[in-house]
């Protein structure tokens, strides 16, 4: 056995000790650096995360404010329903994650187990609806339609349903007083999205995951006022999610009430009469298309002439807003949005745009006078008017000889306006416009408020269209490639049109101007635009911003924020011309194209002014328009593919006026039967406890207006 000298072993031991010391020092340095990074560099961030992990919040939804009509009748309020909810926190503590409990619950509620389980799962990027988008510590609603018997079963057998509650809860309700659904005006609610939560995070009104928000109509416009502020209870929890105690409680604050200018009684009449007019139109034969009219959609607006406030607004087809309460089913959603639905979610009073036909003629009449033509001058109302090899006919090819502009409005003579528009087009240089072309017919339309939104307090209003030179150029640039590719000079009708558009659409042609002068061609308007115009003709020329909201009132009724009428412009019409056109429009109702619909009307007591319109639409049947006003109201109705203005819309508009003023067909007025002989001015009173003494509204029946004013006592 050989002995290794002591002096040879010592260096190796020392090297090993040095390596070990370096390793230990490196580990200590790494640990110290990590501690510095976590506690100093990112200490605040981790502290906040730790704080969030310790405190979880449970939300108590605020009671949403009501939407009321002008007399305080609820159009949208809340009702108490038995809501069955599941505590996901409790379910996750069970061995089967609560599947057994949810299966038993489905049996009691008469639902499929999968349907119940889907509702209590949490939403994420890979989880489709239905799912829960709120806090996992929040009770998750399973149904808001539980019966008392079902709720009693759940409560009596609490040991079989741990984590399940059945409690009365306030749920949105759309009341349809007197049958007035007011669907597109009211809108509907649906759960808030992650994007909306993120966007509103730093605003003065942030969203909670449990919030329901307005998606259309008044529910959307006044969502912030209606929503109120949810109550929040904060609980301290450990790392396993077990509640240790309550940290803080902020009580819920109910939302404010929105009082509207809608009168539920008049709304019921408007909806009924529009529907009846469309049904009647479908029975009439269209000689042009050799089939009955389709009358597939329509709208009517009843507006206060002196304020622009909306008394009634109906759009068909419509829908039941209650379908959205508690979450809409896939089947119902398809019915509202599918290709065969005809899109009932659209509010055609503000989103339906079409050529206006002859109700537009008040605009070229004004344009002609402002261009220097005399209102009482003599103009040839021939049966047709020719430009080159193209002939433009008067309606039904009827001529009236030499007439003035007032008579042209009364009998709706197209050829008078053809001549005036063609002459002005030539003065402006035709297809080669002068540098400072006046284009007075187009400029006047914009002065009347067309080609832009009216500003009504409802979302998604459309602008319509004034097809002037600027629009023609922009539209040509956007479509020229497709037209030039499709067009053929000697091809089919569609190909020839595409070729013509490719070559010359950018030019304002003579045919464009004459078609425009009678509200045809590329001109598009909405019913709300035409209602504001006819209201302005009634009130002396002021264009008001139309409004549905009248006041926002606090839940206890103490704070009232009234929404005042706002003027947004004046018609380019002096007093003399207003009077002249007013006389002519009164003549339309007494001896012109609408006279047969206003037989027996008390013209001496309640002067009626009207204009009929029948707009031609390529590939479809004619659109019916009827525009009217008295000293109190303007009413405009339109029915797509419905026929003539006076034929399809006239009777319905007359019936709405009869209900407003309490008139029979002989023109006798009975104020005890009148719904609203004068516009409503006073606001309804809301009691300190939030209750409203609202009058009842009876369903409307022709000849018996709903909820008419009571007969005065002798």
């Amino acid at each position: 056995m050989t002995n290794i000298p002591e002096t040879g072993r010592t260096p190796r031991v020392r090297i090993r000790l040095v390596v070990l010391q370096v390793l230990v020092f490196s580990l200590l340095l790494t640990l110290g650096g990590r501690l510095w990074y976590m506690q100093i560099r990112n200490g605040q961030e981790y502290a906040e995360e730790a704080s969030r992990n310790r405190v979880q919040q449970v939300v108590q939804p605020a009671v949403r404010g009501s939407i009321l009509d002008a007399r305080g009748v609820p159009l949208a309020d809340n009702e108490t329903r038995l809501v069955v909810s599941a505590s996901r926190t409790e379910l996750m503590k069970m061995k089967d994650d609560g599947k057994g409990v949810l299966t038993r619950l489905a049996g009691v509620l008469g639902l499929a187990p999968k349907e119940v389980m889907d509702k209590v799962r949490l939403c994420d990027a890979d989880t489709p609806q239905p799912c829960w988008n709120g806090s996992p510590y929040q009770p998750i609603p399973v149904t808001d339609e539980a019966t008392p018997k079902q709720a009693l079963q759940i409560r009596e057998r609490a040991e079989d349903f741990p984590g399940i509650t059945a409690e009365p809860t306030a749920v949105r309700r759309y009341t349809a007083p007197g049958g007035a659904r007011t669907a597109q005006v009211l809108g509907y609610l649906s759960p808030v999205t992650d994007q909306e939560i993120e966007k509103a995070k730093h605003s003065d009104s942030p969203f909670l995951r449990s919030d329901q928000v307005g998606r259309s109509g008044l529910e959307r416009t006044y969502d912030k006022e209606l929503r109120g502020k949810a109550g929040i209870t904060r609980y301290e929890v450990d790392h396993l999610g077990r509640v240790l105690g309550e940290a803080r409680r902020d009580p819920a604050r109910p939302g404010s009430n929105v009082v509207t200018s809608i009168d539920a009684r008049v709304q019921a009449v408007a909806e009924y009469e529009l529907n009846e007019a469309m049904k009647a139109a479908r029975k009439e034969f269209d000689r042009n298309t050799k089939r009955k009219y389709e009358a597939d959609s329509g709208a009517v607006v009843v507006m206060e002439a002196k304020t622009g406030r909306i008394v009634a607004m109906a759009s068909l087809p419509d829908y039941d807003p209650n379908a959205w309460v508690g979450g809409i089913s896939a089947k119902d959603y398809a019915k509202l949005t599918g290709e065969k639905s005809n899109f009932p979610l659209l509010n055609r009073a503000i989103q339906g745009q079409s050529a206006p036909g002859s109700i537009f003629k008040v605009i070229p009449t004004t344009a002609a006078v402002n261009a220097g033509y005399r209102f009482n001058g003599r103009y040839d109302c021939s049966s047709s008017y020719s430009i080159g090899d193209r002939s433009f006919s008067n309606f039904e090819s009827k001529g009236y000889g030499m007439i003035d502009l007032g008579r042209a409005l009364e009998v709706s003579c197209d050829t008078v306006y053809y001549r005036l528009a063609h002459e002005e087009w030539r003065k402006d240089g035709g297809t080669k416009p002068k540098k400072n072309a006046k284009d007075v017919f187009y400029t006047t339309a914009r002065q009347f408020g067309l080609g832009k939104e009216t500003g009504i307090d409802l979302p998604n209003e459309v602008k319509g269209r004034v097809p002037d030179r600027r629009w023609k150029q922009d539209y040509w640039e956007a479509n020229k490639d497709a037209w030039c590719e499709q067009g053929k000079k000697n091809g089919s009708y569609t190909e020839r049109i595409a070729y013509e558009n490719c070559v010359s659409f950018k030019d304002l042609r003579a045919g464009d101007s004459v078609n425009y002068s009678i509200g045809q061609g590329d001109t598009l308007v909405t019913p709300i635009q035409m209602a504001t115009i006819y209201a302005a003709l009634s009130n002396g020329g002021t264009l008001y911003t139309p409004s549905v909201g009248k006041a926002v009132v606090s839940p206890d009724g103490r704070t009232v924020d009234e929404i005042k009428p706002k003027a947004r412009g004046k018609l380019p019409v002096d007093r003399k011309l207003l009077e002249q056109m007013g006389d002519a429009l009164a003549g339309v109702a007494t001896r012109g194209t609408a006279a047969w619909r206003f037989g027996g009307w008390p013209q001496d007591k309640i002067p009626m002014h009207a204009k009929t319109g029948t707009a031609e639409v390529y590939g479809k049947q004619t659109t019916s328009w009827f525009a009217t006003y008295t000293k109190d109201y303007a009413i405009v109705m339109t029915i797509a593919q419905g026929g003539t203005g006076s034929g399809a819309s006239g009777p319905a508009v007359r019936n709405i006026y009869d209900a407003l003023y309490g008139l029979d067909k002989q023109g006798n007025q009975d104020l005890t039967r009148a719904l609203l002989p004068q516009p409503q001015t006073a606001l309804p009173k809301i009691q300190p406890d939030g209750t409203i003494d609202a009058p009842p509204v009876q369903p409307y029946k022709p000849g018996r207006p709903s909820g008419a004013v009571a007969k005065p006592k002798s």
Side-chain angles (χ1 to χ4, degrees):
M1 182 174 180
T2 306
N3 294 325
I4 301 174
E6 193 71 26
T7 56
R9 187 186 312 169
T10 302
R12 289 198 296 270
V13 172
R14 288 178 179 174
I15 291 171
R16 289 172 184 171
L17 288 174
V18 170
V19 171
L20 184 61
Q21 288 173 348
V22 170
L23 287 174
V24 171
F25 181 76
S26 298
L27 288 173
L28 290 173
L29 186 63
T30 301
L31 180 61
R34 185 61 180 166
L35 288 173
W36 174 87
Y37 180 82
M38 294 179 65
Q39 295 185 7
I40 299 175
R41 173 66 175 80
N42 280 10
Q44 182 65 28
E45 179 182 341
Y46 286 112
E48 290 177 359
E49 287 189 10
S51 176
R52 285 197 296 270
N53 288 336
R54 284 192 303 107
V55 178
Q56 295 293 344
Q57 60 186 28
V58 173
V59 177
Q60 177 191 357
V63 176
R64 194 171 179 86
S66 296
I67 301 176
L68 311 172
D69 90 337
R71 302 188 308 154
V73 176
L75 301 172
D77 62 5
N78 306 287
E79 65 177 345
T80 300
R81 293 188 187 179
L82 285 171
V83 177
V84 175
S85 302
S87 171
R88 196 171 188 281
T89 303
E90 293 296 321
L91 295 175
M92 291 300 102
K93 294 178 181 178
M94 303 173 190
K95 292 182 179 180
D96 62 352
D97 294 334
K99 291 181 180 178
V101 172
L102 294 177
T103 300
R104 289 193 293 274
L105 179 62
V108 171
L109 298 177
L111 301 172
K114 184 179 185 303
E115 185 177 355
V116 175
M117 293 177 192
D118 285 350
K119 286 188 175 184
V120 300
R121 62 184 178 176
L122 300 180
C123 293
D124 57 32
D126 300 321
T127 304
Q129 290 285 348
C131 57
W132 176 242
N133 198 37
S135 166
Y137 295 92
Q138 185 82 17
I140 302 173
V142 175
T143 180
D144 61 7
E145 297 180 342
T147 65
K149 181 179 179 181
Q150 291 169 337
L152 190 60
Q153 281 184 273
I154 293 169
R155 288 188 170 189
E156 287 183 340
R157 297 162 49 196
E159 68 280 2
D160 292 333
F161 299 102
I164 306 299
T165 58
E167 302 290 344
T169 306
V171 176
R172 201 59 164 171
R173 175 181 66 167
Y174 299 95
T175 60
R181 297 213 284 196
T182 329
Q184 295 92 344
V185 175
L186 294 173
Y188 57 90
L189 305 176
S190 70
V192 67
T193 64
D194 290 339
Q195 291 81 1
E196 288 168 329
I197 292 172
E198 184 64 28
K199 186 177 180 180
K201 183 181 292 185
H202 302 295
S203 71
D204 59 352
S205 183
F207 287 120
L208 297 171
R209 286 193 174 275
S210 60
D211 279 339
Q212 295 271 317
V213 296
R215 292 300 176 200
S216 68
L218 296 173
E219 292 279 29
R220 175 173 168 181
T221 301
Y222 296 99
D223 182 73
K224 183 178 177 181
E225 292 82 357
L226 290 165
R227 196 179 345 130
K229 187 175 182 181
I232 301 177
T233 303
R234 295 170 176 82
Y235 292 99
E236 292 184 0
V237 297
D238 62 15
H239 67 286
L240 296 176
R242 293 174 296 197
V243 176
L244 303 176
E246 183 177 313
R248 179 180 170 186
R249 181 188 296 267
D250 296 325
R253 188 174 67 230
S256 296
N257 301 301
V258 173
V259 178
T260 71
S261 53
I262 296 288
D263 187 298
R265 303 165 303 170
V266 182
Q267 180 72 25
V269 175
E271 291 183 13
Y272 177 90
E273 292 296 345
L274 175 61
N275 186 53
E276 289 298 302
M278 291 170 62
K279 286 163 55 177
R282 295 185 194 117
K283 297 177 182 178
E284 298 297 322
F285 186 76
D286 179 9
R287 291 177 295 175
N288 294 323
T289 60
K290 310 301 180 185
R291 55 187 171 86
K292 291 183 178 180
Y293 286 105
E294 292 188 18
D296 52 357
S297 62
V300 60
V301 176
V302 182
M303 178 185 288
E304 292 180 7
K306 294 181 177 66
T307 65
R309 286 175 170 153
I310 304 300
V311 178
M313 178 181 284
S315 175
L316 289 178
D318 68 351
Y319 64 98
D320 182 2
N322 289 298
W324 296 85
V325 176
I328 191 168
S329 68
K331 183 178 179 182
D332 286 341
Y333 186 77
K335 287 181 180 179
L336 296 180
T337 59
E339 291 183 5
K340 296 181 180 179
S341 68
N342 202 14
F343 309 110
L345 297 180
L346 282 178
N347 183 350
R348 286 172 165 83
I350 66 170
Q351 295 173 294
Q353 50 186 1
S354 66
S358 292
I359 68 168
F360 181 78
K361 286 176 180 172
V362 294
I363 295 170
T365 299
T366 302
V369 172
N370 289 345
Y373 298 91
R374 291 175 54 244
F375 187 86
N376 292 324
R378 307 300 290 173
Y379 306 95
D380 186 9
C381 180
S382 56
S383 61
S384 65
Y385 181 72
S386 296
I387 299 177
D389 60 353
R390 186 175 177 185
S391 180
F392 295 84
S393 297
N394 204 8
F395 185 66
E396 295 183 346
S397 299
K398 187 174 182 179
Y400 289 87
M402 301 301 291
I403 60 176
D404 61 19
L405 291 180
R407 183 63 175 160
L409 280 174
E410 286 183 17
V411 299
S412 203
C413 179
D414 294 339
T415 52
V416 166
Y417 295 97
Y418 292 155
R419 284 184 168 85
L420 293 171
H422 190 203
E423 188 170 336
E424 284 301 302
W425 175 82
R426 285 185 296 195
K427 286 181 181 179
D428 288 327
T431 56
K432 297 180 179 179
K434 297 176 181 177
K435 185 175 182 180
N436 296 315
K438 294 181 179 179
D439 288 331
V440 63
F441 275 51
Y442 298 92
T443 301
T444 303
R446 295 192 181 279
Q447 291 171 331
F448 269 69
L450 298 183
K452 58 185 177 182
E453 298 94 338
T454 64
I456 188 171
D457 54 345
L458 292 173
N460 301 320
E461 180 187 7
V462 299
K463 296 180 179 181
R465 178 196 298 157
V466 177
D468 55 14
R469 296 182 194 275
R470 182 182 62 191
W471 176 82
K472 293 275 289 181
Q473 179 70 29
D474 292 344
Y475 197 75
W476 177 78
E477 290 179 359
N479 294 279
K480 63 179 179 179
D481 292 342
W483 284 333
C484 295
E485 182 179 347
Q486 179 187 1
K488 293 181 181 179
K489 188 174 183 179
N490 298 315
S492 65
Y493 176 76
T494 303
E495 290 171 334
R496 292 197 306 273
I497 292 295
Y499 175 81
E500 185 179 348
N501 288 340
C502 168
V503 174
S504 62
F505 187 90
K506 64 181 181 297
D507 301 323
L508 186 64
R509 297 164 289 192
D512 297 325
S513 289
V514 298
N515 270 328
Y516 166 80
S517 71
I518 62 166
Q520 293 281 178
D522 294 307
T523 311
L524 294 176
V525 303
T526 62
I528 192 65
Q529 288 175 327
M530 299 312 296
T532 60
I533 288 172
Y534 277 79
L537 292 172
S538 171
N539 67 36
T542 300
L543 283 167
Y544 281 98
T545 299
S547 61
V548 182
K550 197 172 183 181
V552 176
V553 184
S554 62
D556 58 7
R558 294 179 180 177
T559 304
V560 178
D561 183 10
E562 189 171 356
I563 302 167
K564 299 286 187 181
K566 295 180 181 178
R568 62 187 177 96
K570 294 283 289 185
L571 298 182
V573 184
D574 60 25
R575 181 176 296 181
K576 181 180 179 182
L577 182 55
L578 270 177
E579 292 176 354
Q580 290 172 323
M581 285 202 298
D583 290 341
L585 295 173
V588 174
T590 56
R591 56 184 178 271
T593 55
W596 68 302
R597 291 306 190 190
F598 285 101
W601 181 267
Q603 192 73 7
D604 56 333
K605 296 179 181 178
I606 310 171
M608 172 61 65
H609 307 77
K611 189 72 194 78
T612 58
T614 306
E616 297 178 358
V617 181
Y618 175 71
K620 293 187 177 182
Q621 296 168 309
T622 54
T623 297
S624 168
W625 283 93
F626 203 65
T628 60
Y629 68 85
T630 63
K631 62 182 177 61
D632 306 299
Y633 304 104
I635 300 180
V636 172
M637 179 178 285
T638 183
I639 299 175
Q641 304 196 90
T644 65
S646 59
S649 301
V653 172
R654 168 69 188 266
N655 290 340
I656 296 171
Y657 275 117
D658 286 346
L660 282 166
Y661 289 111
L663 299 171
D664 61 23
K665 293 307 176 186
Q666 289 70 46
N668 301 310
Q669 187 174 31
D670 181 356
L671 290 176
T672 65
R673 296 168 57 81
L675 295 183
L676 209 58
Q678 294 179 339
Q680 177 84 16
T681 55
L683 292 171
K685 291 185 178 180
I686 299 176
Q687 304 301 325
D689 63 356
T691 59
I692 306 164
D693 187 16
V697 179
Q698 300 299 322
Y700 168 69
K701 292 182 180 179
R704 182 177 67 80
S706 57
V709 296
K711 184 176 181 179
K713 295 181 179 179
S714 57

